[in-house]
Amino acid sequence: MENLKQQWSNFENELDQFEAKHKEYVSKLEEVESMKKKYSQEFIKLKRKFTDIQKTAEELETKKDQKINEIGEPISCDKEKSADQDLNLISEKINEKLHYMRHASDTFPRPNGLYLKIILGGISVSILNNEEKLNYKEEYEKFKLRITMISLILSFLLIFARSYRTLDAAFNFLLVWYYCTLTIRESILVVNGSQIKGWWQAHHFITTVCTAILLIWPDSESYQLFRQQFIWFSFYLSIVQVLQYYYQQGCLYRLRALGEKQDMDTTIEGFQSWMTKGLSFLLPFLFFGYV
């Protein structure tokens, strides 16, 4: 009993000390939330002003170029030369501040898109910590690879399956769940600064609908005729996606190291000569898949 009393006494002292720390922690959280709302609204106003100034500078640049084209020679008037120099100076300062505005934008919560509002309601999905953002993006990439590997194994088994209807339903349900989950994860990535294109998201929305149709397609002659081709296609596509994953990961890593891509980017745009390394192996698989 004495031992229990001593343990409780020690615990009570530690808990009292922790309560004071916890109050400080809660107070800091409330302070941060208050500052977040205050400075977020202030930054939105500054962002609008910055956008307006950008547009005005671009319009003046366009007018200047049109005037030079009409005259056919550079502006010679001292007053116009001074205005031209001022415009160039402001344009340079705008470009200097552009990087900061983008960086500052990533530190404030962003509004959810319509799709996320429908799915999740008004819950904010903005991740303000850069390390957590990168972790979420990497988890998205690993999620795609894991499900693709599962799809590869299942489609291979389905090629040789005789009693296939139950396995087909499981495989099609996996595809519906996978693409539906992808649309949500990609929408969250977009909110957090990822440059995922709209057509790529639209492709996954359409694929979700198509796989849902496969899931409810009754076992008929038309389904049996379509099934074998689809299973072979799914098997081959899974192989290509795995190869493409490792190729893109390597390219993205190098582009981020060169400062040409952001940490939240998930795809590659454009082409550089060094990208041919590894592509020569992948290209025949892609070509055959498209054919």
Side-chain angles (χ1 to χ4, degrees), residues 239-265:
I239 295 172
V240 174
Q241 285 176 339
V242 171
L243 295 174
Q244 196 171 2
Y245 166 83
Y246 286 107
Y247 172 74
Q248 282 204 331
Q249 282 294 97
C251 289
L252 280 170
Y253 178 81
R254 185 165 179 176
L255 287 169
R256 283 197 295 267
L258 293 171
E260 296 179 18
K261 280 285 182 182
Q262 298 179 5
D263 289 340
M264 294 300 288
D265 288 337

mmCIF file of all heavy atoms in Angstrom, residues 239-265:
data_model
loop_
_atom_site.group_PDB
_atom_site.id
_atom_site.type_symbol
_atom_site.label_atom_id
_atom_site.label_comp_id
_atom_site.label_asym_id
_atom_site.label_seq_id
_atom_site.Cartn_x
_atom_site.Cartn_y
_atom_site.Cartn_z
ATOM 1 N N ILE A 239 2.465 -3.794 -65.670
ATOM 2 C CA ILE A 239 3.917 -3.902 -65.900
ATOM 3 C C ILE A 239 4.481 -2.564 -66.369
ATOM 4 O O ILE A 239 5.506 -2.081 -65.862
ATOM 5 C CB ILE A 239 4.223 -5.003 -66.936
ATOM 6 C CG1 ILE A 239 3.832 -6.381 -66.389
ATOM 7 C CG2 ILE A 239 5.703 -4.994 -67.314
ATOM 8 C CD1 ILE A 239 3.934 -7.492 -67.420
ATOM 9 N N VAL A 240 3.807 -1.939 -67.325
ATOM 10 C CA VAL A 240 4.261 -0.648 -67.861
ATOM 11 C C VAL A 240 4.253 0.423 -66.771
ATOM 12 O O VAL A 240 5.185 1.233 -66.676
ATOM 13 C CB VAL A 240 3.379 -0.219 -69.054
ATOM 14 C CG1 VAL A 240 3.747 1.196 -69.512
ATOM 15 C CG2 VAL A 240 3.528 -1.200 -70.209
ATOM 16 N N GLN A 241 3.223 0.434 -65.930
ATOM 17 C CA GLN A 241 3.122 1.447 -64.873
ATOM 18 C C GLN A 241 4.235 1.297 -63.843
ATOM 19 O O GLN A 241 4.746 2.293 -63.336
ATOM 20 C CB GLN A 241 1.753 1.356 -64.197
ATOM 21 C CG GLN A 241 0.631 1.928 -65.049
ATOM 22 C CD GLN A 241 -0.730 1.754 -64.408
ATOM 23 O OE1 GLN A 241 -0.923 0.904 -63.542
ATOM 24 N NE2 GLN A 241 -1.687 2.557 -64.843
ATOM 25 N N VAL A 242 4.616 0.060 -63.538
ATOM 26 C CA VAL A 242 5.731 -0.161 -62.606
ATOM 27 C C VAL A 242 7.037 0.363 -63.210
ATOM 28 O O VAL A 242 7.812 1.066 -62.542
ATOM 29 C CB VAL A 242 5.868 -1.658 -62.258
ATOM 30 C CG1 VAL A 242 7.163 -1.918 -61.477
ATOM 31 C CG2 VAL A 242 4.673 -2.124 -61.438
ATOM 32 N N LEU A 243 7.286 0.043 -64.477
ATOM 33 C CA LEU A 243 8.492 0.537 -65.156
ATOM 34 C C LEU A 243 8.491 2.053 -65.241
ATOM 35 O O LEU A 243 9.523 2.704 -65.007
ATOM 36 C CB LEU A 243 8.575 -0.066 -66.567
ATOM 37 C CG LEU A 243 8.756 -1.588 -66.662
ATOM 38 C CD1 LEU A 243 8.683 -2.035 -68.118
ATOM 39 C CD2 LEU A 243 10.072 -2.023 -66.041
ATOM 40 N N GLN A 244 7.332 2.613 -65.556
ATOM 41 C CA GLN A 244 7.207 4.068 -65.679
ATOM 42 C C GLN A 244 7.414 4.750 -64.327
ATOM 43 O O GLN A 244 7.989 5.841 -64.257
ATOM 44 C CB GLN A 244 5.822 4.417 -66.230
ATOM 45 C CG GLN A 244 5.714 5.843 -66.752
ATOM 46 C CD GLN A 244 4.395 6.066 -67.474
ATOM 47 O OE1 GLN A 244 3.556 5.172 -67.548
ATOM 48 N NE2 GLN A 244 4.208 7.253 -68.008
ATOM 49 N N TYR A 245 6.961 4.120 -63.263
ATOM 50 C CA TYR A 245 7.131 4.684 -61.916
ATOM 51 C C TYR A 245 8.615 4.894 -61.609
ATOM 52 O O TYR A 245 9.024 5.979 -61.175
ATOM 53 C CB TYR A 245 6.497 3.747 -60.879
ATOM 54 C CG TYR A 245 6.891 4.063 -59.459
ATOM 55 C CD1 TYR A 245 6.232 5.055 -58.739
ATOM 56 C CD2 TYR A 245 7.925 3.366 -58.829
ATOM 57 C CE1 TYR A 245 6.594 5.352 -57.434
ATOM 58 C CE2 TYR A 245 8.293 3.654 -57.524
ATOM 59 C CZ TYR A 245 7.625 4.653 -56.831
ATOM 60 O OH TYR A 245 7.998 4.941 -55.546
ATOM 61 N N TYR A 246 9.419 3.856 -61.824
ATOM 62 C CA TYR A 246 10.844 3.962 -61.503
ATOM 63 C C TYR A 246 11.557 4.953 -62.426
ATOM 64 O O TYR A 246 12.464 5.676 -61.993
ATOM 65 C CB TYR A 246 11.505 2.583 -61.566
ATOM 66 C CG TYR A 246 11.138 1.713 -60.396
ATOM 67 C CD1 TYR A 246 10.269 0.629 -60.542
ATOM 68 C CD2 TYR A 246 11.642 1.986 -59.123
ATOM 69 C CE1 TYR A 246 9.924 -0.164 -59.443
ATOM 70 C CE2 TYR A 246 11.305 1.193 -58.026
ATOM 71 C CZ TYR A 246 10.443 0.138 -58.204
ATOM 72 O OH TYR A 246 10.091 -0.647 -57.120
ATOM 73 N N TYR A 247 11.139 5.021 -63.683
ATOM 74 C CA TYR A 247 11.748 5.978 -64.613
ATOM 75 C C TYR A 247 11.422 7.415 -64.188
ATOM 76 O O TYR A 247 12.315 8.265 -64.120
ATOM 77 C CB TYR A 247 11.228 5.723 -66.036
ATOM 78 C CG TYR A 247 11.650 6.789 -67.028
ATOM 79 C CD1 TYR A 247 12.964 6.849 -67.489
ATOM 80 C CD2 TYR A 247 10.736 7.734 -67.483
ATOM 81 C CE1 TYR A 247 13.361 7.830 -68.386
ATOM 82 C CE2 TYR A 247 11.124 8.718 -68.378
ATOM 83 C CZ TYR A 247 12.429 8.761 -68.831
ATOM 84 O OH TYR A 247 12.814 9.750 -69.716
ATOM 85 N N GLN A 248 10.146 7.681 -63.885
ATOM 86 C CA GLN A 248 9.751 9.041 -63.504
ATOM 87 C C GLN A 248 10.358 9.453 -62.166
ATOM 88 O O GLN A 248 10.720 10.617 -61.989
ATOM 89 C CB GLN A 248 8.231 9.155 -63.431
ATOM 90 C CG GLN A 248 7.568 9.278 -64.796
ATOM 91 C CD GLN A 248 6.210 9.954 -64.717
ATOM 92 O OE1 GLN A 248 5.526 9.857 -63.708
ATOM 93 N NE2 GLN A 248 5.824 10.628 -65.773
ATOM 94 N N GLN A 249 10.455 8.514 -61.240
ATOM 95 C CA GLN A 249 11.054 8.825 -59.945
ATOM 96 C C GLN A 249 12.496 9.300 -60.120
ATOM 97 O O GLN A 249 12.924 10.254 -59.484
ATOM 98 C CB GLN A 249 11.017 7.596 -59.033
ATOM 99 C CG GLN A 249 9.665 7.340 -58.396
ATOM 100 C CD GLN A 249 9.249 8.421 -57.424
ATOM 101 O OE1 GLN A 249 8.499 9.329 -57.786
ATOM 102 N NE2 GLN A 249 9.716 8.350 -56.211
ATOM 103 N N GLY A 250 13.230 8.613 -60.993
ATOM 104 C CA GLY A 250 14.616 8.999 -61.249
ATOM 105 C C GLY A 250 14.718 10.375 -61.886
ATOM 106 O O GLY A 250 15.551 11.197 -61.497
ATOM 107 N N CYS A 251 13.843 10.651 -62.853
ATOM 108 C CA CYS A 251 13.850 11.950 -63.537
ATOM 109 C C CYS A 251 13.450 13.076 -62.594
ATOM 110 O O CYS A 251 14.068 14.145 -62.579
ATOM 111 C CB CYS A 251 12.909 11.916 -64.738
ATOM 112 S SG CYS A 251 13.494 10.906 -66.109
ATOM 113 N N LEU A 252 12.413 12.849 -61.802
ATOM 114 C CA LEU A 252 11.950 13.873 -60.861
ATOM 115 C C LEU A 252 13.015 14.182 -59.810
ATOM 116 O O LEU A 252 13.218 15.345 -59.436
ATOM 117 C CB LEU A 252 10.655 13.425 -60.173
ATOM 118 C CG LEU A 252 9.368 13.609 -60.975
ATOM 119 C CD1 LEU A 252 8.204 12.905 -60.279
ATOM 120 C CD2 LEU A 252 9.035 15.078 -61.160
ATOM 121 N N TYR A 253 13.691 13.137 -59.337
ATOM 122 C CA TYR A 253 14.758 13.338 -58.341
ATOM 123 C C TYR A 253 15.853 14.239 -58.916
ATOM 124 O O TYR A 253 16.321 15.172 -58.248
ATOM 125 C CB TYR A 253 15.343 11.987 -57.931
ATOM 126 C CG TYR A 253 16.485 12.093 -56.944
ATOM 127 C CD1 TYR A 253 16.227 12.262 -55.580
ATOM 128 C CD2 TYR A 253 17.815 12.043 -57.370
ATOM 129 C CE1 TYR A 253 17.272 12.372 -54.663
ATOM 130 C CE2 TYR A 253 18.854 12.155 -56.468
ATOM 131 C CZ TYR A 253 18.586 12.311 -55.116
ATOM 132 O OH TYR A 253 19.616 12.439 -54.226
ATOM 133 N N ARG A 254 16.226 13.984 -60.159
ATOM 134 C CA ARG A 254 17.293 14.781 -60.776
ATOM 135 C C ARG A 254 16.829 16.210 -61.039
ATOM 136 O O ARG A 254 17.574 17.168 -60.801
ATOM 137 C CB ARG A 254 17.728 14.119 -62.093
ATOM 138 C CG ARG A 254 18.910 14.816 -62.750
ATOM 139 C CD ARG A 254 19.532 13.961 -63.825
ATOM 140 N NE ARG A 254 20.642 14.613 -64.464
ATOM 141 C CZ ARG A 254 21.422 14.063 -65.387
ATOM 142 N NH1 ARG A 254 21.206 12.805 -65.741
ATOM 143 N NH2 ARG A 254 22.411 14.737 -65.931
ATOM 144 N N LEU A 255 15.585 16.389 -61.510
ATOM 145 C CA LEU A 255 15.057 17.722 -61.789
ATOM 146 C C LEU A 255 14.916 18.545 -60.511
ATOM 147 O O LEU A 255 15.164 19.755 -60.519
ATOM 148 C CB LEU A 255 13.705 17.619 -62.506
ATOM 149 C CG LEU A 255 13.761 17.161 -63.967
ATOM 150 C CD1 LEU A 255 12.365 16.829 -64.479
ATOM 151 C CD2 LEU A 255 14.411 18.217 -64.849
ATOM 152 N N ARG A 256 14.512 17.896 -59.416
ATOM 153 C CA ARG A 256 14.421 18.619 -58.139
ATOM 154 C C ARG A 256 15.805 19.032 -57.656
ATOM 155 O O ARG A 256 15.985 20.121 -57.107
ATOM 156 C CB ARG A 256 13.724 17.749 -57.082
ATOM 157 C CG ARG A 256 12.223 17.686 -57.240
ATOM 158 C CD ARG A 256 11.558 17.177 -55.966
ATOM 159 N NE ARG A 256 11.926 15.808 -55.673
ATOM 160 C CZ ARG A 256 11.237 14.749 -56.056
ATOM 161 N NH1 ARG A 256 10.131 14.892 -56.767
ATOM 162 N NH2 ARG A 256 11.630 13.538 -55.742
ATOM 163 N N ALA A 257 16.786 18.162 -57.854
ATOM 164 C CA ALA A 257 18.159 18.487 -57.457
ATOM 165 C C ALA A 257 18.699 19.670 -58.264
ATOM 166 O O ALA A 257 19.464 20.490 -57.743
ATOM 167 C CB ALA A 257 19.059 17.266 -57.643
ATOM 168 N N LEU A 258 18.266 19.784 -59.523
ATOM 169 C CA LEU A 258 18.689 20.894 -60.387
ATOM 170 C C LEU A 258 17.863 22.158 -60.155
ATOM 171 O O LEU A 258 18.146 23.197 -60.746
ATOM 172 C CB LEU A 258 18.578 20.479 -61.863
ATOM 173 C CG LEU A 258 19.532 19.379 -62.335
ATOM 174 C CD1 LEU A 258 19.158 18.909 -63.736
ATOM 175 C CD2 LEU A 258 20.984 19.879 -62.313
ATOM 176 N N GLY A 259 16.815 22.050 -59.329
ATOM 177 C CA GLY A 259 15.962 23.201 -59.045
ATOM 178 C C GLY A 259 14.939 23.490 -60.122
ATOM 179 O O GLY A 259 14.342 24.569 -60.144
ATOM 180 N N GLU A 260 14.715 22.541 -61.026
ATOM 181 C CA GLU A 260 13.777 22.742 -62.132
ATOM 182 C C GLU A 260 12.390 22.181 -61.831
ATOM 183 O O GLU A 260 11.464 22.363 -62.617
ATOM 184 C CB GLU A 260 14.333 22.099 -63.412
ATOM 185 C CG GLU A 260 15.628 22.746 -63.883
ATOM 186 C CD GLU A 260 16.185 22.085 -65.130
ATOM 187 O OE1 GLU A 260 15.419 21.380 -65.820
ATOM 188 O OE2 GLU A 260 17.379 22.270 -65.420
ATOM 189 N N LYS A 261 12.244 21.479 -60.725
ATOM 190 C CA LYS A 261 10.951 20.943 -60.303
ATOM 191 C C LYS A 261 10.755 21.178 -58.817
ATOM 192 O O LYS A 261 11.729 21.224 -58.054
ATOM 193 C CB LYS A 261 10.863 19.431 -60.593
ATOM 194 C CG LYS A 261 10.534 19.105 -62.041
ATOM 195 C CD LYS A 261 9.079 19.362 -62.351
ATOM 196 C CE LYS A 261 8.740 18.982 -63.782
ATOM 197 N NZ LYS A 261 7.345 19.263 -64.114
ATOM 198 N N GLN A 262 9.490 21.343 -58.415
ATOM 199 C CA GLN A 262 9.184 21.506 -57.005
ATOM 200 C C GLN A 262 9.015 20.145 -56.343
ATOM 201 O O GLN A 262 8.796 19.137 -57.015
ATOM 202 C CB GLN A 262 7.902 22.330 -56.842
ATOM 203 C CG GLN A 262 8.008 23.735 -57.405
ATOM 204 C CD GLN A 262 6.710 24.508 -57.254
ATOM 205 O OE1 GLN A 262 5.754 24.038 -56.653
ATOM 206 N NE2 GLN A 262 6.677 25.700 -57.811
ATOM 207 N N ASP A 263 9.120 20.133 -55.005
ATOM 208 C CA ASP A 263 9.018 18.878 -54.263
ATOM 209 C C ASP A 263 7.665 18.203 -54.444
ATOM 210 O O ASP A 263 7.561 16.980 -54.387
ATOM 211 C CB ASP A 263 9.259 19.126 -52.767
ATOM 212 C CG ASP A 263 10.714 19.459 -52.475
ATOM 213 O OD1 ASP A 263 11.574 19.125 -53.315
ATOM 214 O OD2 ASP A 263 10.985 20.042 -51.424
ATOM 215 N N MET A 264 6.596 18.994 -54.669
ATOM 216 C CA MET A 264 5.246 18.445 -54.743
ATOM 217 C C MET A 264 4.856 17.993 -56.149
ATOM 218 O O MET A 264 3.751 17.499 -56.353
ATOM 219 C CB MET A 264 4.232 19.478 -54.236
ATOM 220 C CG MET A 264 4.370 19.803 -52.762
ATOM 221 S SD MET A 264 4.142 18.370 -51.696
ATOM 222 C CE MET A 264 2.383 18.104 -51.859
ATOM 223 N N ASP A 265 5.733 18.173 -57.128
ATOM 224 C CA ASP A 265 5.420 17.732 -58.489
ATOM 225 C C ASP A 265 5.424 16.212 -58.566
ATOM 226 O O ASP A 265 6.269 15.546 -57.970
ATOM 227 C CB ASP A 265 6.421 18.312 -59.497
ATOM 228 C CG ASP A 265 6.208 19.801 -59.725
ATOM 229 O OD1 ASP A 265 5.084 20.270 -59.468
ATOM 230 O OD2 ASP A 265 7.156 20.481 -60.150
#
